[in-house]
Amino acid sequence: MRPLGFRLLALAALFLMAPRLFAWTEDSLNVSECSSCTGSNDSGPCNGCGYPVSGVPNLSNGGSALGTGTGYLSGNSDLDVYQFRISPSDLNLGSCIGILKIVLTSPSGKNYAIQVGRWSGSWTTYSDSGGSTGVITKYYDVSALSGSDDFYVGIDADDVDSSNPYTLSLSMVAYGTLSGTVTALGSTGSGSSSMVMSAVDSDGSMY
């Protein structure tokens, strides 16, 4: 039989070699909050407070914020806020990779809401109530990035599952151009000023 010390070292080595399921967890960030706690990461930045904002967990602390993390809403009054920075090294414009994709996946049977803030001298915010699929996908064009682009994300819900986590995924995807001819049917207006076009994805989000 192997000595106990050898077996413990072997188990430790296997643990270190195991792939990480998530890039981060809510309770491991620079401003952390346990799964059953509230009050640590519940405040967004003030409107004139640019990145990095003190007291808000920073997903870019270890380098790139890209990846998938997980957290918990401990109750209906809990709000989880995260900040991050997109840098030129996150883009690959030679391959047309210049669109930030943010995906919030709620626990099964729940529809969490998301608010995204983007810095432009102050925070411009976009909100999505969650729809009915439990998954919210948002896209932001950062292809013209010259220095950095700063964001924060807030997650809350009126009906939470405190026993199961949500996931928040940040990735860069390719951009492209849609072209073609549109024929308006049943319209009484004329000219481009009388027509508004929007793209709608499979989640029902309009762009």
Side-chain angles (χ1 to χ4, degrees):
M1 178 177 290
R2 299 278 189 180
L4 178 59
F6 178 87
R7 283 180 283 164
L8 290 175
L9 286 172
L11 287 171
L14 287 173
F15 176 80
L16 292 172
M17 292 170 60
R20 294 177 62 189
L21 295 177
F22 298 105
W24 55 268
T25 57
E26 182 184 9
D27 60 1
S28 67
L29 297 170
N30 62 311
V31 180
S32 63
E33 184 175 88
C34 74
S35 60
S36 61
C37 301
T38 186
S40 297
N41 61 349
D42 294 13
S43 299
C46 73
N47 193 45
C49 300
Y51 175 97
V53 181
S54 176
V56 179
N58 191 348
L59 303 183
S60 301
N61 255 6
S64 174
L66 302 182
T68 299
T70 183
Y72 290 79
L73 291 181
S74 61
N76 294 344
S77 62
D78 192 15
L79 169 67
D80 288 349
V81 182
Y82 307 98
Q83 63 181 323
F84 61 93
R85 167 167 283 181
I86 297 299
S87 301
S89 58
D90 293 318
L91 283 62
N92 184 353
L93 298 182
S95 298
C96 297
I97 306 297
I99 301 293
L100 171 64
K101 181 180 181 180
I102 302 175
V103 181
L104 171 65
T105 303
S106 306
S108 178
K110 303 298 179 182
N111 296 295
Y112 287 9
I114 191 172
Q115 181 182 74
V116 181
R118 188 176 190 177
W119 179 257
S120 59
S122 61
W123 292 104
T124 301
T125 58
Y126 312 83
S127 298
D128 197 316
S129 60
S132 59
T133 65
V135 178
I136 301 174
T137 304
K138 310 296 288 183
Y139 297 94
Y140 298 92
D141 185 356
V142 294
S143 60
L145 182 65
S146 59
S148 61
D149 215 338
D150 301 328
F151 294 83
Y152 79 83
V153 172
I155 300 167
D156 66 355
D158 293 327
D159 181 20
V160 309
D161 179 352
S162 59
S163 299
N164 291 292
Y166 59 80
T167 60
L168 179 66
S169 175
L170 307 176
S171 61
M172 298 299 303
V173 297
Y175 56 85
T177 301
L178 295 175
S179 61
T181 301
V182 175
T183 301
L185 301 176
S187 173
T188 58
S190 63
S192 59
S193 62
S194 299
M195 185 179 297
V196 176
M197 295 182 61
S198 299
V200 181
D201 66 14
S202 59
D203 296 324
S205 297
M206 186 176 293
Y207 307 96

